[in-house]
Amino acid sequence: MLPEQERTQAGGQTDTADTQGRRKAVTAPDVSGAIVVSIDAMGGDRGPSAVVEGMSIALKANPALRFIVNGRESEVAPLIAQAGIGAACTLVHAEAVVTMNDKPAQVMRRGSDTSMWATVEAVRDHRAHVAVSCGNTGALMAVSMLRLRKLPGVDRPAIASFWPSFNPSGWNVMLDMGADVRADAPDLLTYALMGASYARHALGLERPRVGLMNVGTEEHKGNAELRAAHELIAAAQDRGAYDFIGFVEGNDLPSDRVDVIVTDGFTGNVALKTGEGTAKMASRLLREAFTSSWMAKLGALLAMRALKRLSARMDPRRANGGVFLGLNGTVVKSHGGADATGVAAAIELAARLAKSGFADRLAARVASAIAAGQDAPSQMASNESAK
Amino acid sequence: MLPEQERTQAGGQTDTADTQGRRKAVTAPDVSGAIVVSIDAMGGDRGPSAVVEGMSIALKANPALRFIVNGRESEVAPLIAQAGIGAACTLVHAEAVVTMNDKPAQVMRRGSDTSMWATVEAVRDHRAHVAVSCGNTGALMAVSMLRLRKLPGVDRPAIASFWPSFNPSGWNVMLDMGADVRADAPDLLTYALMGASYARHALGLERPRVGLMNVGTEEHKGNAELRAAHELIAAAQDRGAYDFIGFVEGNDLPSDRVDVIVTDGFTGNVALKTGEGTAKMASRLLREAFTSSWMAKLGALLAMRALKRLSARMDPRRANGGVFLGLNGTVVKSHGGADATGVAAAIELAARLAKSGFADRLAARVASAIAAGQDAPSQMASNESAK
């Protein structure tokens, strides 16, 4: 029998009950209907105050949130008290902090007393639905892989991010953004399955459109690995409940013809940072233009409202949160430099995923697609597509 | 003895005399002091009229230019007559045209009657100093490699482009933008040598700063190939007359701390198109913002001059022209969709490179660096750095 199908957020299925027996129910803090987020209070560039302020913003928007706050008690407790959110928080003391310069291997070996480790541990122990950290990406991925373990059938986990696009939601999903610098054809297929599942839950798309990043859209272009991935991803469309649109290019990233863009972590990371760098350059030049003369300044004043809307549309903080996919549990990586608004956005994303039972549904999707691919592709595909 | 050193454009050395015996002097059209550009009149998205108009613009700015115009006589001759530039042009009839959909291998086998082939042939036969085409990139690279052959010591030629930056010149140089989807460590070293030489001639930088693209700036990051390339490029700094700043990331592309960014053709192509896509999205959203209300429209009117300057600063046509590096001769690839302004920019770049004797100096630089690397690295390095 097939595992229960994923359902989109729009489909109204929000229970986190486990239909697979893979994960126990979350046991604490014991509030019925609560969404428990384990959060790393330390390790971000702006320290615990930005994190606690972000928690406070997220809690106002979503009172069902509960936090397991991991960090140095002497620093974090006063901030929680000051924010007046003590009733929603369980503080877990962790003495050590992972810095941005710590190497992943060091943290894996000697990091068990860090707030990052404790944050992930709460998801492993089923005390929390989801984890959020602003810390060192490489270390967070290493600790997450070590403690949560990879899903059956997943060889390389991935980091998925939102990318501003002309789609109705304003976003598309891109992965891998840098979990692993390499990906072979089966990994890229796994990314397609996981990315489609993520787009279903985070963006509410029933059947996302998946594209594979290449340097040209013709089928003969690119290297042999990409051509092999093209075939695998095309063949798994019905199993994965997505439409494959073939190769896409860098200029398709903001396009409204694709929802999920699949690539290896090296290319994804370079693209992400190139896009950020270009947007920053454009905004700096725009600011310079609007302060270059009194006429321009007056013009900026008149266009203020429109420019503010534009700036909100391009605000990277709105899209804050890379999600680690392919593990037994969901981990959201907030930008290291995130302020309170950015942290709140990452918490809200984590809560949305927890509420839709994303972790279990993703696991079921990958397991069924891989089983179908191995055993009886055509029959399983027709089962799934028949719904 | 060392080959004659390259000199920067600023150094005032503009002769194209061959100190190596590698290339014969250009023999026709016989105008002393003229710069002869072989241009492909066909194959661009806007047809021969944009090309001829671009030639006319470039000729006004630089009356020393002479053109070998390759294309269908019946179409091109009337345009040249109409533009009144017949005295500067030698028309070479070519019946066939390479389209954007033609595969490189087809063109290599059966393309000898195309305007693209004829354009490259004029550089091979020393009738022209440099070639310019708006046609199909893959086919142009294939024909250029077949007819001009790779420089001794170059395994993979590269395409170098300008990228808008905060450097004083407004640009930096990035390569490879897509000549080859792969590059191993020795190729990346060759790109560093060629890119530095190109930045010296095209941007007038005595000792360009070279960075190697990676997903993190720490030396332990990235794959083994990149770490090996890091060592090779660091060791060749003096031979290549550049400063190596180590790894850079996608967000360093517009940075003023680097002049030449070295990467493989897959990553470079994705980055180029991602940057273009992001800039286009920003400009579309800006246009929408400025037409969203009458206040915003009035504001745009007042800020018009500043906005026009901004738009000129970001205008991709100003940077039109990817240069093929690593061949016996210089080929400039203009954007397929280039209008007359874009074509003129590509011609002006080609003329600047021809005038500075770039092709020969690049060849000398690569040959000497490779010889030094093979034979006596330390001694040669000290010879070169002593000048």
Side-chain angles (χ1 to χ4, degrees):
Chain A
M1 212 191 91
L2 273 176
E4 191 194 357
Q5 282 219 359
E6 290 171 284
R7 292 191 190 81
T8 67
Q9 210 185 351
Q13 284 285 337
T14 55
D15 64 308
T16 58
D18 183 7
T19 59
Q20 304 285 300
R22 235 189 328 276
R23 293 179 59 211
K24 282 178 284 176
V26 167
T27 50
D30 191 13
V31 184
S32 134
I35 294 163
V36 185
V37 177
S38 174
I39 191 157
D40 182 0
M42 324 297 288
D45 300 342
R46 293 165 190 250
S49 66
V51 174
V52 173
E53 211 184 314
M55 289 161 49
S56 177
I57 295 171
L59 192 60
K60 261 183 210 125
N62 187 352
L65 280 173
R66 292 296 174 271
F67 296 105
I68 298 177
V69 193
N70 307 274
R72 255 183 226 135
E73 192 168 358
S74 58
E75 290 181 51
V76 179
L79 293 168
I80 290 178
Q82 197 185 327
I85 57 170
C89 297
T90 305
L91 184 54
V92 174
H93 175 71
E95 188 53 37
V97 176
V98 176
T99 71
M100 291 298 175
N101 298 323
D102 285 335
K103 292 189 182 154
Q106 287 173 349
V107 180
M108 280 172 81
R109 275 198 306 274
R110 293 192 300 270
S112 61
D113 59 345
T114 61
S115 60
M116 181 184 280
W117 190 288
T119 301
V120 172
E121 208 65 11
V123 172
R124 178 188 157 97
D125 297 346
H126 312 291
R127 287 176 287 126
H129 294 100
V130 60
V132 174
S133 173
C134 303
N136 179 329
T137 309
L140 183 60
M141 181 50 98
V143 170
S144 300
M145 279 179 64
L146 183 69
R147 303 308 292 161
L148 301 180
R149 297 280 164 197
K150 292 183 279 190
L151 281 178
V154 173
D155 191 34
R156 290 191 160 102
I159 304 175
S161 287
F162 290 128
W163 193 281
S165 83
F166 289 112
N167 279 324
S169 70
W171 305 106
N172 59 39
V173 167
M174 185 159 160
L175 74 169
D176 172 29
M177 298 314 245
D180 200 311
V181 292
R182 239 178 309 266
D184 56 24
D187 296 321
L188 293 168
L189 168 61
T190 306
Y191 295 175
L193 293 165
M194 299 196 303
S197 185
Y198 180 52
R200 224 174 345 262
H201 287 267
L203 300 176
L205 303 170
E206 189 76 32
R207 199 175 165 94
R209 296 159 302 169
V210 172
L212 179 62
M213 182 77 98
N214 200 348
V215 295
T217 53
E218 303 86 0
E219 293 199 11
H220 65 276
K221 287 226 174 152
N223 57 37
E225 203 64 47
L226 278 175
R227 287 193 298 272
H230 189 288
E231 277 191 37
L232 289 177
I233 296 173
Q237 288 185 79
D238 287 327
R239 278 178 278 146
Y242 57 77
D243 290 320
F244 183 49
I245 64 157
F247 289 131
V248 296
E249 298 187 84
N251 46 349
D252 288 317
L253 289 183
S255 155
D256 60 2
R257 71 185 194 94
V258 64
D259 301 304
V260 177
I261 293 159
V262 169
T263 190
D264 65 89
F266 188 89
T267 309
N269 190 280
V270 169
L272 173 71
K273 288 176 178 163
T274 299
E276 282 176 1
T278 309
K280 258 189 207 159
M281 180 174 196
S283 99
R284 180 170 145 187
L285 291 175
L286 192 60
R287 224 171 16 250
E288 283 173 15
F290 276 123
T291 50
S292 61
S293 71
W294 67 265
M295 286 257 283
K297 280 181 199 168
L298 184 57
L301 209 63
L302 285 169
M304 183 76 84
R305 273 187 61 167
L307 287 173
K308 277 205 172 145
R309 264 202 313 274
L310 168 67
S311 135
R313 176 96 163 74
M314 298 288 280
D315 187 350
R317 297 178 306 174
R318 284 177 59 230
N320 188 32
V323 175
F324 292 0
L325 301 178
L327 304 169
N328 290 295
T330 305
V331 177
V332 175
K333 164 67 175 79
S334 160
H335 201 289
D339 61 7
T341 308
V343 172
I347 294 172
E348 279 153 23
L349 171 63
R352 198 154 70 241
L353 293 175
K355 208 175 159 195
S356 73
F358 169 62
D360 292 333
R361 298 186 191 286
L362 170 68
R365 173 67 64 185
V366 171
S368 88
I370 285 167
Q374 283 166 348
D375 304 336
S378 56
Q379 189 219 322
M380 300 302 270
S382 62
N383 266 359
E384 277 247 326
S385 61
K387 293 204 179 179
Chain B
M1 212 191 92
L2 272 176
E4 192 192 357
Q5 284 218 357
E6 289 169 285
R7 291 190 191 83
T8 67
Q9 210 187 352
Q13 284 285 336
T14 56
D15 64 306
T16 58
D18 182 10
T19 58
Q20 304 286 299
R22 235 188 327 276
R23 294 179 58 211
K24 283 179 282 176
V26 167
T27 50
D30 192 14
V31 183
S32 133
I35 295 162
V36 184
V37 177
S38 174
I39 191 157
D40 183 359
M42 324 298 286
D45 298 342
R46 294 166 190 250
S49 65
V51 175
V52 173
E53 211 184 315
M55 287 161 49
S56 177
I57 295 171
L59 192 61
K60 260 182 212 129
N62 187 350
L65 280 173
R66 293 296 173 270
F67 297 104
I68 299 177
V69 192
N70 306 275
R72 255 184 224 136
E73 193 168 358
S74 58
E75 290 181 50
V76 179
L79 292 167
I80 290 178
Q82 198 185 328
I85 56 172
C89 297
T90 306
L91 183 54
V92 173
H93 175 71
E95 188 53 38
V97 176
V98 176
T99 70
M100 291 298 175
N101 299 322
D102 285 336
K103 294 190 180 154
Q106 287 173 347
V107 179
M108 280 172 80
R109 275 197 307 273
R110 292 193 301 270
S112 61
D113 60 344
T114 61
S115 60
M116 181 184 280
W117 189 288
T119 301
V120 173
E121 208 66 12
V123 172
R124 178 187 156 99
D125 296 347
H126 313 291
R127 286 175 286 127
H129 295 101
V130 60
V132 173
S133 173
C134 302
N136 178 329
T137 308
L140 183 60
M141 181 50 99
V143 170
S144 300
M145 280 178 65
L146 182 71
R147 302 309 294 161
L148 301 179
R149 297 280 162 195
K150 293 184 280 189
L151 282 178
V154 173
D155 190 33
R156 289 190 160 102
I159 304 175
S161 288
F162 290 129
W163 192 281
S165 83
F166 289 111
N167 279 325
S169 70
W171 305 106
N172 60 38
V173 168
M174 185 159 161
L175 73 166
D176 172 28
M177 298 314 244
D180 200 311
V181 292
R182 240 179 308 267
D184 55 23
D187 297 321
L188 293 169
L189 168 60
T190 307
Y191 295 174
L193 294 164
M194 299 195 303
S197 184
Y198 179 54
R200 221 169 352 259
H201 288 266
L203 299 176
L205 302 169
E206 190 77 33
R207 197 175 168 94
R209 297 158 301 169
V210 172
L212 179 61
M213 181 77 98
N214 200 350
V215 295
T217 53
E218 303 85 0
E219 293 199 13
H220 66 277
K221 287 227 174 153
N223 57 36
E225 202 66 47
L226 278 175
R227 288 193 298 273
H230 189 287
E231 276 190 38
L232 289 177
I233 296 173
Q237 288 184 82
D238 287 328
R239 277 177 279 145
Y242 57 79
D243 290 321
F244 183 49
I245 64 157
F247 289 131
V248 295
E249 298 187 82
N251 46 350
D252 288 317
L253 289 183
S255 154
D256 60 2
R257 72 187 194 92
V258 63
D259 301 305
V260 177
I261 294 160
V262 169
T263 190
D264 66 89
F266 188 90
T267 308
N269 190 280
V270 170
L272 173 70
K273 288 177 179 163
T274 299
E276 282 177 0
T278 309
K280 259 189 207 159
M281 181 173 194
S283 99
R284 181 171 144 186
L285 290 176
L286 191 61
R287 223 170 17 248
E288 282 174 14
F290 276 123
T291 49
S292 61
S293 71
W294 69 264
M295 286 255 285
K297 280 182 197 166
L298 185 59
L301 209 63
L302 285 169
M304 183 77 85
R305 272 187 62 165
L307 287 173
K308 278 205 173 143
R309 263 201 313 276
L310 167 67
S311 136
R313 176 95 163 73
M314 298 287 280
D315 187 351
R317 297 178 306 175
R318 283 179 58 230
N320 189 32
V323 176
F324 293 179
L325 302 177
L327 303 170
N328 290 296
T330 304
V331 177
V332 175
K333 163 68 176 79
S334 161
H335 201 289
D339 60 7
T341 309
V343 172
I347 293 171
E348 278 153 24
L349 171 63
R352 197 154 73 241
L353 293 175
K355 205 175 162 195
S356 72
F358 169 64
D360 292 333
R361 297 186 192 287
L362 169 69
R365 174 67 63 182
V366 171
S368 88
I370 285 167
Q374 283 165 350
D375 304 336
S378 56
Q379 190 221 323
M380 301 300 271
S382 62
N383 265 359
E384 277 247 327
S385 62
K387 298 203 178 180

